[in-house]
Amino acid sequence: MSPAKLNLLDLSQPSIRILHLSWFAFFLTFMIWFNLAPLKPLIMEAFAMTEAQWKALLIMNIALTIPARIVIGILVDKFGPRAIYSGLLVASGLLCLAFASAQSFEQLALFRFLLGFVGAGFVIGIRLVGEWFPARQVGLAEGIYGGWGNFGAAAAAFLVPLLALTIFGGQFGWRYAIGTTGVLAMLFGGFFYYAARNTPKGSTYFKPKKSGGLEVTSKKDFWFYVAMNVPMYVVLAILAWKLSPHELGLLSYTTSYVLYGVLLALFLFQFSQIYRVNKDMLKNGAPQHDKYEFKQVAILNWAYFVTFGSELAVVSVLPAFFLETFTNLSLAQASMLGGSFAIMNLVARPGGGWFSDRFGRRRSMSIILAGVAVGYLLMSQITATWPLFFAFAAVIICSLFVQAGCGAVFAMVPLVKRRMTGQIAGMTGAYGNVGGVTFLTVYSFVDIGTFFLIITATAITVLGFVQFLKEPQGHMTEVMADGSVQQIELT
């Protein structure tokens, strides 16, 4: 079957049914994750919140997602996507109901912090889809999963206010709206467990030898892996700093320093787990048939840092950019123009995956990242003298390359090491969030034009990294329970 032919209407195919189950599960997790922002005025009024408290709530919404993607990746590889996706949907639904029932700002903040875990749902489907589709189709399938699932964020922006204001209405309309998304997630979580399977019939679900960290296959890669974990803790420290007296002032100096200490302790604990998992390899080396290069993972991490990371940041600043640059626009018009950047996920992510299947992983990622750099360079030149149509066209062109880049990254993730696909997806996904926080922090210090130029420079740098990406060829190997070696086709 060629990569261009994937009949999404043929529900007689088990793989197609799994793909639809997966993207809709992801859709629901993103609807829950992003159901907060559209209800800003209603929630702020209900709790008489200050702007600083609202910003703190938004930070709480993303803070846990970075470590959660790592943890979920470990759990998926160990227990399988069927159980973990079902469990995440049910748990997130319960947390949604708790958030909707909160009676104080402190309760809101706590449940929103915990709901950050739902942002890790994306990782689960990457492993599941990778199990059900061959290498020649996996990019397109992963692109559909990611692109259509991502649309849950846009659906939240349209549907949650409609539920709150029109369907339910009244003082508690926002509570019922958020609670409804939680109930939907719980119901679908139960259905997912009933309908999904981890692998096609007769296939083996390979699990890591040990849990707690990625298995690497050389001493050099061990230290490389440890170093690649550092940026995630730095970004979490930045989020703590934003809540400190230096920024929003919602934490005391003492609490801020305690958080920094906790992050250091967590890093040391993670290092101990990584060492435990790789201790035998460090002493005795890895079998030749089991070796892979960690640089493959690192390059994918940085590629997602600049693609999805820039998307997270740019979607946050585009409405204000349009409003301030083209002063004749209304707030609603500016929001719609800004939101168009994310809506392109529907076609561009699958397109990037298909392109990767068709023309090769490294070549595709190189072409797409070059397009990302050109797109952001173009956006850096937009001024009020531009016709609005041309400014919008520049945004759409840039968005197409950015979303296609996300699709190309995850077209490659399942082809690195099958038994650790969840962990690799988790780390790569976490780097997307790291990128978002990094670029938004940069934006707080520079003007919008410089902001776009910095993303351009980052894309060019990562384009250089991608030239060291090794094109998947031949087979990857995994060891069966009886000790025999199984080969998995990569082309």
Coordinates of all heavy atoms in Angstrom, one line a residue, residues 43 49 56 97 124 134 151 205 219 250 259 266 270 331 345 365 391 408 416 475:
I43 N -14.9 33.4 34.4 CA -14.2 32.8 35.6 C -13.6 33.9 36.4 O -13.7 33.9 37.7 CB -13.1 31.8 35.1 CG1 -13.7 30.6 34.4 CG2 -12.2 31.4 36.3 CD1 -12.7 29.7 33.8
M49 N -11.2 37.8 40.3 CA -9.7 37.6 40.2 C -9.1 38.8 39.6 O -9.6 39.6 38.9 CB -9.5 36.4 39.2 CG -9.8 35.0 39.8 SD -9.9 33.7 38.6 CE -8.3 33.8 37.9
A56 N -1.4 33.6 36.5 CA -0.9 32.5 37.2 C -1.6 31.2 36.9 O -1.0 30.1 36.8 CB -1.0 32.8 38.7
L97 N -14.3 18.0 36.5 CA -15.4 18.2 37.4 C -15.0 18.9 38.7 O -15.7 19.8 39.2 CB -16.1 16.9 37.7 CG -16.7 16.1 36.5 CD1 -17.2 14.8 36.9 CD2 -17.9 17.0 36.0
I124 N 0.6 9.3 24.0 CA 0.1 8.0 24.1 C -0.2 7.5 22.7 O 0.1 6.4 22.3 CB -1.1 7.9 25.0 CG1 -0.8 8.5 26.3 CG2 -1.6 6.5 25.1 CD1 -2.1 8.6 27.2
P134 N 2.5 0.6 9.1 CA 3.9 0.3 8.6 C 4.7 1.6 8.4 O 4.1 2.6 8.3 CB 3.7 -0.5 7.3 CG 2.3 0.0 6.8 CD 1.5 0.2 8.0
F151 N -6.9 19.9 16.8 CA -8.1 20.7 16.6 C -8.9 20.8 17.8 O -9.8 21.7 17.9 CB -8.8 20.2 15.4 CG -9.8 21.2 14.8 CD1 -9.3 22.4 14.2 CD2 -11.2 21.1 14.9 CE1 -10.2 23.3 13.7 CE2 -12.1 22.0 14.4 CZ -11.6 23.1 13.8
Y205 N 3.9 -6.6 21.6 CA 4.1 -5.2 22.2 C 5.4 -5.3 23.0 O 5.5 -5.8 24.1 CB 2.9 -4.9 23.1 CG 3.0 -3.4 23.5 CD1 2.5 -2.4 22.7 CD2 3.5 -3.0 24.7 CE1 2.6 -1.1 23.0 CE2 3.6 -1.7 25.1 CZ 3.1 -0.7 24.2 OH 3.2 0.6 24.6
K219 N 28.4 5.1 26.3 CA 28.7 6.0 27.4 C 28.5 7.5 27.0 O 28.0 8.3 27.7 CB 30.1 5.8 27.9 CG 30.3 4.5 28.6 CD 31.7 4.3 29.1 CE 31.9 3.0 29.9 NZ 33.3 2.8 30.3
L250 N 3.0 36.2 43.1 CA 2.0 35.3 43.7 C 2.7 34.3 44.6 O 2.0 33.5 45.3 CB 1.2 34.6 42.7 CG 0.3 35.6 41.9 CD1 -0.4 34.8 40.8 CD2 -0.8 36.2 42.8
L259 N 10.9 25.9 45.6 CA 10.6 25.3 44.3 C 11.8 25.0 43.5 O 12.0 24.0 42.9 CB 9.6 26.2 43.5 CG 8.2 26.2 44.0 CD1 7.4 27.2 43.1 CD2 7.5 24.8 43.8
L266 N 14.6 16.9 42.0 CA 14.0 16.1 41.0 C 15.0 15.7 39.9 O 15.0 14.6 39.4 CB 12.7 16.8 40.4 CG 11.5 16.8 41.2 CD1 10.4 17.7 40.6 CD2 10.9 15.4 41.5
Q270 N 16.0 12.0 38.9 CA 16.0 11.5 37.5 C 17.3 11.0 37.0 O 17.4 9.9 36.4 CB 15.5 12.6 36.5 CG 15.2 12.0 35.1 CD 14.8 13.1 34.1 OE1 15.1 14.3 34.3 NE2 14.2 12.7 33.0
L331 N -11.5 43.3 17.8 CA -10.9 42.3 18.7 C -11.3 40.9 18.1 O -10.4 40.0 18.0 CB -11.4 42.4 20.1 CG -10.8 41.3 21.1 CD1 -9.3 41.4 21.1 CD2 -11.5 41.5 22.5
N345 N -3.4 23.1 11.3 CA -3.0 21.7 11.7 C -3.8 20.6 11.0 O -3.3 19.5 10.8 CB -3.3 21.6 13.3 CG -2.0 21.8 14.1 OD1 -1.0 21.2 13.9 ND2 -2.1 22.8 15.0
M365 N 12.5 16.9 6.4 CA 12.6 17.8 7.5 C 13.5 19.0 7.2 O 13.2 20.2 7.6 CB 13.2 17.1 8.7 CG 12.8 17.7 10.1 SD 13.3 16.7 11.5 CE 12.3 15.2 11.2
A391 N -0.5 40.2 4.6 CA 0.0 39.8 6.0 C -0.6 38.5 6.4 O 0.1 37.6 6.9 CB -0.4 40.9 7.0
A408 N 6.4 16.0 10.3 CA 7.6 15.4 9.9 C 8.4 14.8 11.1 O 9.0 13.8 11.0 CB 8.5 16.3 9.1
V416 N 12.7 5.1 15.6 CA 14.0 5.1 16.3 C 14.2 3.8 17.1 O 15.2 3.1 16.8 CB 14.1 6.4 17.2 CG1 15.4 6.3 18.0 CG2 14.0 7.6 16.4
H475 N 16.1 -2.3 8.8 CA 15.3 -2.8 9.9 C 15.8 -2.3 11.3 O 17.0 -2.0 11.4 CB 15.3 -4.3 10.0 CG 14.7 -5.0 8.8 ND1 15.4 -5.1 7.6 CD2 13.5 -5.5 8.5 CE1 14.7 -5.7 6.7 NE2 13.5 -5.9 7.2

